[in-house]
Amino acid sequence: MTKTAWVFPGQGSQALGMGMDLLELSEAKEKFVQAEEILGWSVSDICQNHEDKLARTLYTQPCLYVVETILADVIRKAEKPDLVAGHSLGEYIALYVAGVFEWAAGLRLVKRRAELMENAAGGKMAALIGFDKEQLDRILAETNDAVLANDNSSAQVVISGTPEAIESVLAQVKAKRKLPLNVSGAFHSPMMAEASAEFKNVLATVEFHQATVPVISNVEPVPTVEADILKQRLVKQMTGSVRWRETALALPEQGIERVVEIGPGNVLTGLIKRTASGLKLENVRSAAETELVRS
């Protein structure tokens, strides 16, 4: 039996029209209705008609959670993963799929997380592609208020911090491409400490169960099923770095041979391909593509 990991993308993978063919499925319709009751706005309306809102953290994160969890539930009728992981927001979908919390509880967590991150203004993030790692590590070590936020692959990272610190790093580091990100705050950095502290209190009110399959967390890419460990790692996630390169390297170490990225786009399979060779990579972005997995 081929050992399979399911991985779930986070903010930045959203696209207008995502998940809309899911509305043809009765079980999906129920989830969209339930989501509107929890959120106070319509996921399907945002995904179909409001590209500007879909790009805002406040809406992006709940929309991705709803679409990706529904896709995963459809696929689960035919197969089960042996391991799960998600990139930033995607970790919440991984935890739901692993049975760590109920669907509605997860959406409420994501809703509050999105609100806190939307309001954490004043920071800056930038992606670097084709850079010298040693040089970047040295510059970050010498620069206050700038950190490595996403270690995505050996060729792509995201830095986060105060606008002044990020500008300073960008001015010094050599890279093929330097791309400022259109986000409201310095996500995955110490600048999120206040939001993280408030979110820790929110997490304390939600019961976590032992995972049914191992979960690789962003801040500590070592698989576990222990509820307390998974919650502690999630507490750290808002201020900690997303260690996706190490997650990709851990997949073959865990005996994984096949990886299915569930959600819009193909960012994660692209990153995994650059980091861990020899894995069979698949994407499920729509109801139509769930048929490929289920056939």
Side-chain angles (χ1 to χ4, degrees), residues 132-143 172-173:
D132 183 312
K133 186 178 185 302
E134 288 187 9
Q135 184 199 37
L136 177 61
D137 289 345
R138 176 180 57 77
I139 293 170
L140 286 174
E142 295 170 353
T143 307
Q172 297 176 71
V173 72

Side-chain angles (χ1 to χ4, degrees), residues 222-241:
V222 177
T224 188
V225 296
E226 297 301 322
D228 290 345
I229 294 173
L230 290 168
K231 182 176 279 194
Q232 281 305 116
R233 289 177 176 177
L234 209 55
V235 168
K236 297 174 183 176
Q237 195 217 57
M238 203 176 279
T239 56
S241 178

Side-chain angles (χ1 to χ4, degrees), residues 1 11 78 101 117 121 134-135 150 152 160 162 166 201 211 260 265 271 276 278 294:
M1 197 74 168
Q11 200 164 343
F101 45 63
M117 292 177 74
E134 288 187 9
Q135 184 199 37
N150 296 359
N152 288 329
S160 183
T162 63
I166 296 305
N201 295 330
V260 182
L271 293 173
R294 291 185 288 164

Side-chain angles (χ1 to χ4, degrees), residues 64-127:
L64 286 170
Y65 178 88
V66 170
V67 169
E68 292 180 27
T69 52
I70 293 173
L71 283 169
D73 282 342
V74 173
I75 302 169
R76 279 201 284 189
K77 294 175 182 177
E79 69 166 72
K80 300 286 191 294
D82 298 290
L83 182 149
V84 292
H87 190 286
S88 193
L89 181 275
E91 187 169 321
Y92 288 78
I93 295 97
L95 291 168
Y96 161 72
V97 169
V100 174
F101 45 63
E102 300 299 322
W103 186 84
L107 182 56
R108 290 189 179 96
L109 281 176
V110 168
K111 176 179 183 286
R112 189 64 189 127
R113 179 184 191 263
E115 290 168 349
L116 290 167
M117 292 177 74
E118 173 90 1
N119 293 326
K124 184 168 184 172
M125 300 180 76

Side-chain angles (χ1 to χ4, degrees), residues 2-288:
T2 302
K3 285 194 74 174
T4 297
W6 289 3
V7 298
F8 303 92
Q11 200 164 343
S13 61
Q14 70 275 4
L16 196 66
M18 68 178 188
M20 288 307 93
D21 62 346
L22 293 169
L23 290 169
E24 298 174 14
L25 307 175
S26 58
E27 63 267 39
K29 286 181 183 176
E30 293 173 13
K31 283 288 195 341
F32 279 106
V33 170
Q34 192 179 355
E36 187 166 356
E37 292 170 356
I38 292 169
L39 299 169
W41 46 267
S42 167
V43 169
S44 58
D45 178 50
I46 297 293
C47 288
Q48 287 181 94
N49 304 312
H50 300 283
E51 191 169 12
D52 55 338
K53 284 188 175 181
L54 187 58
R56 283 183 55 192
T57 297
L58 187 67
Y59 299 99
T60 310
Q61 295 187 11
C63 285
L64 286 170
Y65 178 88
V66 170
V67 169
E68 292 180 27
T69 52
I70 293 173
L71 283 169
D73 282 342
V74 173
I75 302 169
R76 279 201 284 189
K77 294 175 182 177
E79 69 166 72
K80 300 286 191 294
D82 298 290
L83 182 149
V84 292
H87 190 286
S88 193
L89 181 275
E91 187 169 321
Y92 288 78
I93 295 97
L95 291 168
Y96 161 72
V97 169
V100 174
F101 45 63
E102 300 299 322
W103 186 84
L107 182 56
R108 290 189 179 96
L109 281 176
V110 168
K111 176 179 183 286
R112 189 64 189 127
R113 179 184 191 263
E115 290 168 349
L116 290 167
M117 292 177 74
E118 173 90 1
N119 293 326
K124 184 168 184 172
M125 300 180 76
L128 297 173
I129 299 169
F131 58 93
D132 183 312
K133 186 178 185 302
E134 288 187 9
Q135 184 199 37
L136 177 61
D137 289 345
R138 176 180 57 77
I139 293 170
L140 286 174
E142 295 170 353
T143 307
N144 292 329
D145 302 321
V147 298
L148 185 67
N150 296 359
D151 181 11
N152 288 329
S153 75
S154 60
Q156 189 212 89
V157 297
V158 174
I159 58 174
S160 183
T162 63
E164 297 79 15
I166 296 305
E167 287 298 334
S168 175
V169 173
L170 292 177
Q172 297 176 71
V173 72
K174 294 178 181 177
K176 288 182 179 177
R177 297 180 70 190
K178 306 174 186 179
L179 306 170
L181 302 185
N182 183 24
V183 294
S184 60
F187 304 157
H188 298 292
S189 84
M191 287 187 70
M192 299 298 294
E194 187 176 333
S196 180
E198 186 170 343
F199 192 62
K200 182 180 179 180
N201 295 330
V202 177
L203 277 170
T205 67
V206 178
E207 183 180 4
F208 275 39
H209 307 286
Q210 179 165 306
T212 55
V213 295
V215 181
I216 297 183
S217 302
N218 287 181
V219 297
E220 195 171 339
V222 177
T224 188
V225 296
E226 297 301 322
D228 290 345
I229 294 173
L230 290 168
K231 182 176 279 194
Q232 281 305 116
R233 289 177 176 177
L234 209 55
V235 168
K236 297 174 183 176
Q237 195 217 57
M238 203 176 279
T239 56
S241 178
V242 177
R243 296 162 63 182
W244 192 257
R245 179 181 57 83
E246 293 171 81
T247 297
L249 291 171
L251 297 175
E253 291 174 1
Q254 297 299 317
I256 296 298
E257 302 163 89
R258 172 175 170 259
V259 179
V260 182
E261 179 178 359
I262 301 172
N266 55 4
V267 171
L268 299 186
T269 46
L271 293 173
I272 291 168
K273 185 177 182 179
R274 296 187 192 101
T275 304
S277 61
L279 295 170
K280 183 182 180 183
L281 304 174
E282 299 175 19
N283 290 87
V284 176
R285 293 159 286 213
S286 63

